[in-house]
Amino acid sequence: MSQIILQLNGISIYHGKNLILSDIDLSIEPGEFVYLIGKTGSGKSSFIKTIYADLPLISGTGTVVDFELKDLKESQIPFLRRKIGIVFQDFQLLPDRSVHDNLLFVLKATGWKEKARMKDKIDSVLDKTGMRTKAFKMPHQLSGGEQQRVSIARALLNDPELIIADEPTGNLDPQTRLEIMELLQEINKRGRTVIMATHDYGLIQRFPGRTLKVENNSIFEVVQKRA
C-alpha cells in the first residue's frame, strides 16, 4: 500500500485555458476520511478529475497511489484507475444488465479472466454492501439507495487504495443518505482512504472528518467547531 495516498505540490488545475485552482499543496495519508466541500462551480469536480487523470496535470507535481500525475502516459491511466474506486452521484449503472453483470463487465474490462474468481469477487463486494440477494435484479428494479450500494460494490472490485465518492448521497432521501454514509464509514474503518465531495453539511456534522473547502480558486482545510 502507498505510504502517501495523495501528495500535491504547487499544482494548478486548468479546464482548457481556464484556470480553475491554483497553488494547491495537499497531502492525504492512508486511512483518512476526507470531505471536499464547496459551491457548484467552485472546482470540486475538476479537482476530482485531476486525481483520476481525466484532466491532465499541467502545472506543479502530484502523486496519487504511487503514480506521478505530471506527464502520466495514457497507457498508465487504466492502471492508476484500478487503484482508485469511483462512486458517482447518478450511479452510472448499465441499464441493460443485471447487478451481477454490471460488476462482471467491470472485472472483464480490467483484465480478470477466471470465472470462479470473478464470481467469488462479485459475491464478496455484494456481501460487503448488503446487496448479495439482489444480484439478479436490473437497475430499474432497485431503489436509489440500492443502486448506490451497487455503485459502491463496483468501486470495491479491484481492492482500490482510494475511494472517490462524488456527491454519493445527492440523489437520495435523508434516511438512505445516512445508510450510504454509514457504509462508506465502515469501508473507511476497514482501511480504505475515502475522499467524498458533498454539499450535505448535516452529514459532516453527524460523521465528523477532515474537511477541505474549495473556494476562490484554492483549497484550504476547515477546522470543525466542536459542539
Side-chain angles (χ1 to χ4, degrees):
M1 182 173 282
S2 308
Q3 295 299 310
I4 294 290
I5 291 292
L6 175 67
Q7 182 73 56
L8 305 176
N9 298 106
I11 76 161
S12 294
I13 294 174
Y14 293 83
H15 204 292
K17 294 183 179 180
N18 297 321
L19 177 65
I20 306 298
L21 298 169
S22 62
D23 298 320
I24 305 301
D25 294 300
L26 179 62
S27 178
I28 295 177
E29 297 183 359
E32 287 198 83
F33 194 110
V34 181
Y35 292 106
L36 187 67
I37 62 174
K39 295 179 180 177
T40 300
S42 62
K44 295 194 304 298
S45 291
S46 295
F47 176 75
I48 287 171
K49 287 179 179 179
T50 301
I51 292 174
Y52 63 83
D54 198 40
L55 284 178
L57 181 59
I58 297 169
S59 173
T61 59
T63 304
V64 180
V65 293
D66 296 329
F67 283 83
E68 297 285 344
L69 289 176
K70 190 76 176 288
D71 303 320
L72 185 71
K73 294 178 182 177
E74 193 166 334
S75 61
Q76 293 177 297
I77 292 175
F79 297 98
L80 164 68
R81 291 181 182 169
R82 285 178 202 176
K83 297 176 77 173
I84 299 175
I86 305 171
V87 180
F88 299 97
Q89 178 177 352
D90 56 356
F91 321 132
Q92 295 197 13
L93 300 175
L94 299 170
D96 61 340
R97 299 168 198 240
S98 68
V99 167
H100 176 277
D101 288 351
N102 262 273
L103 302 186
L104 184 64
F105 175 84
V106 173
L107 289 179
K108 288 181 175 179
T110 52
W112 290 60
K113 303 289 186 186
E114 298 175 32
K115 289 183 179 180
R117 283 190 66 226
M118 288 191 285
K119 182 183 184 305
D120 287 346
K121 192 63 186 181
I122 289 169
D123 288 346
S124 173
V125 296
L126 290 177
D127 267 339
K128 289 174 181 175
T129 55
M131 291 298 293
R132 178 80 176 268
T133 62
K134 305 290 177 73
F136 65 95
K137 295 213 168 193
M138 302 294 284
H140 73 270
Q141 296 176 304
L142 303 175
S143 68
E146 288 172 333
Q147 289 187 65
Q148 193 60 288
R149 284 177 178 271
V150 176
S151 176
I152 293 170
R154 180 183 57 198
L156 293 172
L157 281 171
N158 283 300
D159 297 314
E161 295 184 33
L162 172 63
I163 299 285
I164 297 174
D166 191 2
E167 299 281 359
T169 62
N171 290 334
L172 305 175
D173 63 77
Q175 180 57 38
T176 308
R177 286 177 197 169
L178 287 179
E179 292 171 2
I180 293 300
M181 192 65 200
E182 286 167 354
L183 177 56
L184 289 171
Q185 291 276 317
E186 183 181 332
I187 289 167
N188 174 244
K189 287 173 183 175
R190 293 189 200 130
R192 312 262 187 224
T193 307
V194 178
I195 299 175
M196 175 177 161
T198 184
H199 285 100
D200 195 332
Y201 290 87
L203 285 180
I204 296 174
Q205 291 176 336
R206 183 156 183 166
F207 302 95
R210 184 180 178 192
T211 303
L212 304 174
K213 187 170 187 179
V214 185
E215 189 175 70
N216 298 327
N217 300 108
S218 188
I219 297 178
F220 57 91
E221 194 148 352
V222 176
V223 179
Q224 294 187 14
K225 296 179 180 178
R226 296 191 177 276

